[in-house]
Amino acid sequence: MLSIGIVGLPNVGKSTLFNALTGNNILAANYPFATIEPNTGIVAVPDERLAKLAELYKTDKIVPATVKFVDIAGLVAGASKGEGLGNQFLSHIRNVDAIIHVVRAFNDPNVTHVDEQPNASKDIEVINTELVLADLSTIQKRIYSFAREIKSNPKLNVVLDEYKKIESILNNNEPLWQHQNIDKSLIEDQHLITDKEIIYLFNIDENDLNNDEIKNELIKLVSPNKALFTCAKLESELKDLDDNDAQDLLESYGQKESSLISIIKLAYEVLGLQSFLTAGEQEVRAWPIKIGAKAPEAAGQIHKDFEKGFIAADIVNYSDLINLGSFNNAKNAGKVRTEGKEYVMQPEDVVLFRFNVTK
């Protein structure tokens, strides 16, 4: 299962957010390194289609797609040199597939800050610098070891050139996620931290949730399509309320839904995932697959035998299925397609796989 690591400075709201996301109650304390070993939680991806399919098929069993979130201890300046158990924490980040960087943008004298005064721009710079320095150390070690390998295999010069380009980027204190002209296939074995996809999550005061002026100033610090906003304190309160009370509290702050929904959905997209659907009287389910996956690979998510013995996939668009009321009705209306091994799965696909496995 692919995972998202939650990172940031100490006391920015990472563990509070993690607790709200996962419904867990790990230690969320007002001092650095309250989290040492990374906590993990499996979170359902919100998908309103599943309830409608369950109603159509008259089943109570709904199985959503899921994402694994990992709460990683707060980094500090000097982490790349081992400060604050930095080496240990950086290794945890290397093991995840993408990153949510929680940035403190709230004021609370009761919650200490490592630099006494929160400064979103500076905090982002501190974390980015530590991640860049960690990657720079990794790539420089690899360049050094390449010198011997190239003597016996000159074809590796292409790889070395890519490593040197990456070294130059990192030497300019620029994370690799800011650059699109990198051949990722040549560096994936190095597990570079800043080569991962990133979401910046600004943890703001509840009274600023509708303050577009503050939000726009924060967005300027990062890529607009990778910025989200939350109030971890509010989300922590919401998780202990029933649905009606939670909705009333959200509306009192001018919000229609929990920010956690946007966080989970964007995390799913950042991991390069989409869902295809299966439906029947036993259950309805969303299955996570990589965007661009073909039908046999999707079948393999259900069972490896389905992939090995794949024959075809009978596919109906979700909206057509709901509008027509049943798979048979959709088939009679000519809305069910039979696709083969080269078919690229789409997010609105409701699928019935046909396969044959011979022993």
Side-chain angles (χ1 to χ4, degrees):
M1 180 183 294
L2 299 179
S3 60
I4 294 270
I6 303 174
V7 306
L9 291 171
N11 298 340
V12 297
K14 298 186 311 301
S15 293
T16 301
L17 175 69
F18 179 84
N19 289 343
L21 276 168
T22 64
N24 292 337
N25 286 292
I26 61 167
L27 177 63
N30 182 25
Y31 55 89
F33 314 123
T35 307
I36 296 178
E37 290 302 321
N39 297 286
T40 62
I42 308 300
V43 179
V45 179
D47 192 335
E48 59 277 2
R49 300 175 302 175
L50 295 176
K52 293 181 179 180
L53 284 173
E55 183 179 351
L56 185 68
Y57 281 89
K58 296 180 172 56
T59 179
D60 293 327
K61 186 176 181 182
I62 295 176
V63 184
T66 56
V67 173
K68 181 165 74 172
F69 284 88
V70 183
D71 180 28
I72 298 170
L75 295 171
V76 294
S80 60
K81 298 179 181 178
E83 291 293 329
L85 302 179
N87 291 332
Q88 182 179 349
F89 301 157
L90 288 166
S91 71
H92 295 155
I93 302 174
R94 285 193 179 91
N95 291 330
V96 300
D97 299 290
I99 297 169
I100 290 179
H101 179 179
V102 180
V103 182
R104 178 171 171 174
F106 66 88
N107 291 303
D108 187 339
N110 297 316
V111 180
T112 60
H113 186 275
V114 290
D115 287 332
E116 296 185 4
Q117 185 64 35
N119 182 316
S121 177
K122 183 179 178 182
D123 291 355
I124 291 171
E125 183 180 351
V126 167
I127 294 295
N128 284 355
T129 296
E130 294 308 318
L131 300 185
V132 163
L133 289 174
D135 279 352
L136 185 60
S137 175
T138 298
I139 209 70
Q140 286 178 337
K141 289 176 182 176
R142 189 67 183 116
I143 289 173
Y144 178 79
S145 67
F146 245 52
R148 296 178 182 176
E149 296 177 37
I150 287 176
K151 290 179 181 179
S152 58
N153 186 1
K155 293 181 179 179
L156 291 177
N157 273 305
V158 175
V159 182
L160 180 60
D161 288 343
E162 192 68 17
Y163 283 165
K164 287 183 176 179
K165 181 170 74 174
I166 289 167
E167 181 187 29
S168 177
I169 292 170
L170 296 171
N171 266 323
N172 288 330
N173 198 27
E174 298 173 7
L176 298 180
W177 55 61
Q178 294 179 359
H179 295 263
Q180 303 301 317
N181 61 338
I182 297 170
D183 189 342
K184 292 181 179 292
S185 66
L186 297 179
I187 62 171
E188 59 186 3
D189 62 326
Q190 298 303 300
H191 304 290
L192 299 178
I193 297 172
T194 66
D195 186 41
K196 302 178 189 294
E197 293 289 342
I198 189 168
I199 299 168
Y200 289 97
L201 180 61
F202 293 98
N203 186 9
I204 61 180
D205 288 307
E206 57 262 56
N207 293 320
D208 290 333
L209 286 169
N210 291 316
N211 191 325
D212 290 337
E213 182 179 351
I214 287 178
K215 287 183 177 181
N216 289 333
E217 286 302 310
L218 292 170
I219 287 174
K220 290 178 183 178
L221 302 177
V222 298
S223 175
N225 63 340
K226 293 185 177 180
L228 288 176
F229 298 90
T230 189
C231 173
K233 180 182 176 182
L234 175 60
E235 295 297 343
S236 180
E237 295 173 9
L238 290 171
K239 75 181 179 67
D240 296 322
L241 301 177
D242 63 36
D243 290 345
N244 290 333
D245 288 343
Q247 191 61 41
D248 288 343
L249 182 57
L250 278 169
E251 290 176 359
S252 72
Y253 288 104
Q255 304 300 297
K256 293 182 179 179
E257 64 180 18
S258 164
S259 62
L260 300 184
I261 294 175
S262 297
I263 294 168
I264 297 166
K265 287 183 175 179
L266 184 56
Y268 198 63
E269 292 174 12
V270 161
L271 289 171
L273 297 174
Q274 66 181 27
S275 297
F276 71 91
L277 307 172
T278 57
E281 294 179 358
Q282 291 186 339
E283 68 172 29
V284 297
R285 184 187 290 245
W287 300 86
I289 53 170
K290 294 293 276 186
I291 295 172
K294 295 181 178 180
E297 185 180 344
Q301 290 297 308
I302 299 175
H303 196 289
K304 285 301 179 184
D305 285 347
F306 285 24
E307 183 173 6
K308 293 176 183 176
F310 179 88
I311 296 174
D314 293 331
I315 298 175
V316 59
N317 179 275
Y318 163 78
S319 296
D320 288 337
L321 177 59
I322 293 296
N323 291 335
L324 292 167
S326 74
F327 191 86
N328 284 336
N329 288 348
K331 191 172 185 178
N332 292 334
K335 296 296 185 179
V336 176
R337 314 182 315 275
T338 298
E339 302 287 358
K341 292 182 178 180
E342 295 304 311
Y343 176 72
V344 177
M345 300 296 295
Q346 300 300 312
E348 289 293 294
D349 289 344
V350 183
V351 189
L352 177 64
F353 290 108
R354 286 188 273 143
F355 66 99
N356 180 40
V357 177
T358 56
K359 295 184 179 179

